[in-house]
Amino acid sequence: MYIPELLAPAGNLEKLKIAIHYGADAVYLGGKAFGLRNLADNFTPEEMATGIAYAHERGVKVYLTVNSYPANEDLPALEKFIAEIAPIPFDALIAADPGVIQLIRELAPHHNIHLSTQANSVNWRSIRFWEQQGIGRINLARETSLAAVRETAQKCSAELELFAHGAMCISYSGRCLISSVMSGRNANKGECSHPCRWGYSLVEETRPGEYFPVMEDETGTFIFNSKDLCLIEHLPEIVNSGVASLKIEGRMKGIYYVASVVRAYRAALDALRDEGDGYRFRPQWLEELCKISHRGYTTGFLFGQPEDVGQEYHSAYLRSHLFVGIVAEQLADGRFAIGVRNRIKCGDSIELMGPAMRNDSFTITAMTDEKGAAIETANPNSRIIMSLPAGTAVNDLLRTEKP
Ligand code: SF4
């Protein structure tokens, strides 16, 4: 059975390493401009070269997003940017705007081009058009149904990439002005401030200034708040539809999100490859995806229009676990250095997450600072030393259950 590529977000070098550690086949990243998600950390050209060398040594592909829609006045800087990244050996550049595609052809003609979801491709005629422009892969808009994916794969030869997991917009694949209007930050230039996730009140037209709270639960209401896309329960149908790549959204999310989502989808895809017709979905994969911050899950447009079931009316963000640290280094004496991200203390119950769904639970009995002095509590951004269960590897993550 053909198993599609698992494509993960890499908002910075650390996220790139985590995505690879947990099983991504490819990662996508952005430069400091023109790649949407302008508020993610993103990469300098030097970091791009470092990240690509790291990924290619491990057989992982790297794609660069250049998928914003530039205005005329942005073009000189964009030309400079493309000329600068042209020698970097990306496996493909991801673009949406035809002008940007033309510019890449002129200044970096040796690079493959993938079409971004920002181009809103939802039908096979559109895919065929882009195919005829020499585009080798097209990311389908999130509004595409499984039936449309299947038909498009039969009628077109370009590779198809499908979003499998991550945030959804209430607008048409990010073509949204709410952020520009409410915060002056342009979503189509990667600066979205996510006002669709904010809380809102009710105002009657003749009583300006009188705000009536709308309460659907103790956290308020979230009338524009889409649930997050999660297709992990439907991988056999999706794989059979002919997609070449399954994409995880979230370059602005943290390493705990990247690790959790990549490893769950990796486990499911590996099981599908190994078990074929005997494959069965494991609830543990979905349970793992519920341990990260999310807004409830939906299958989006996969089985048709989601209508109101795609909205999360009942709460803001949900999560059951808290990310507390990353295994940074194994020392000569067998203990490990941990980069602490949230406060931990002796007596805390910790779960250590490794690739291939390895979870090891233990209680912290002792830890020291870097100079070897025993400590009871470790604060965020400190580096501490402790013993960890057998099988622990650098880049494994530590988490605790939320009270
Ligand atoms: S405000 Fe919400 S719907 Fe609009 S682009 Fe941003 S995330 Fe998408």
Side-chain angles (χ1 to χ4, degrees), residues 168-171 173-179 187-188 192-197 224:
M168 303 268 286
C169 285
I170 52 152
S171 67
S173 270
R175 295 198 170 217
C176 172
L177 295 176
I178 312 177
S179 179
N188 288 312
C192 180
S193 55
H194 305 291
C196 62
R197 327 289 196 220
F224 298 142

Side-chain angles (χ1 to χ4, degrees), residues 272-289:
L272 199 50
R273 179 199 59 212
D274 296 341
E275 297 165 10
D277 290 343
Y279 169 89
R280 60 182 174 81
F281 175 76
R282 279 43 156 210
Q284 183 205 1
W285 300 330
L286 189 55
E287 285 161 18
E288 284 294 325
L289 294 173

Side-chain angles (χ1 to χ4, degrees), residues 16 29-32 43-56 62-66 80-93 104 107-112:
L16 177 144
L29 53 87
K32 294 287 181 189
F43 287 65
T44 62
E46 297 72 35
E47 288 167 340
M48 290 175 190
T50 305
I52 289 180
Y54 183 91
H56 284 177
V62 182
Y63 309 137
L64 175 70
T65 55
V66 198
K80 194 164 164 264
F81 175 72
I82 292 177
E84 194 176 10
I85 58 90
I88 302 175
F90 285 105
D91 296 283
L93 305 187
I104 294 170
L107 300 176
H110 51 290
H111 278 299
N112 296 320

Side-chain angles (χ1 to χ4, degrees), residues 319 321-326 338-351 364 367 375-384 386 398-403:
R319 70 174 162 182
H321 285 64
L322 186 67
F323 166 51
V324 294
I326 176 170
I338 312 289
V340 178
R341 300 297 168 89
N342 271 300
R343 193 169 176 269
I344 49 175
K345 59 183 184 325
C346 287
D348 280 353
S349 296
I350 301 285
E351 193 169 57
I364 302 177
M367 54 186 172
I375 52 173
E376 281 296 311
T377 301
N379 289 317
N381 302 320
S382 62
R383 192 172 144 112
I384 57 150
M386 71 165 86
L398 281 66
R399 65 186 174 192
T400 56
E401 198 159 345
K402 282 186 76 184

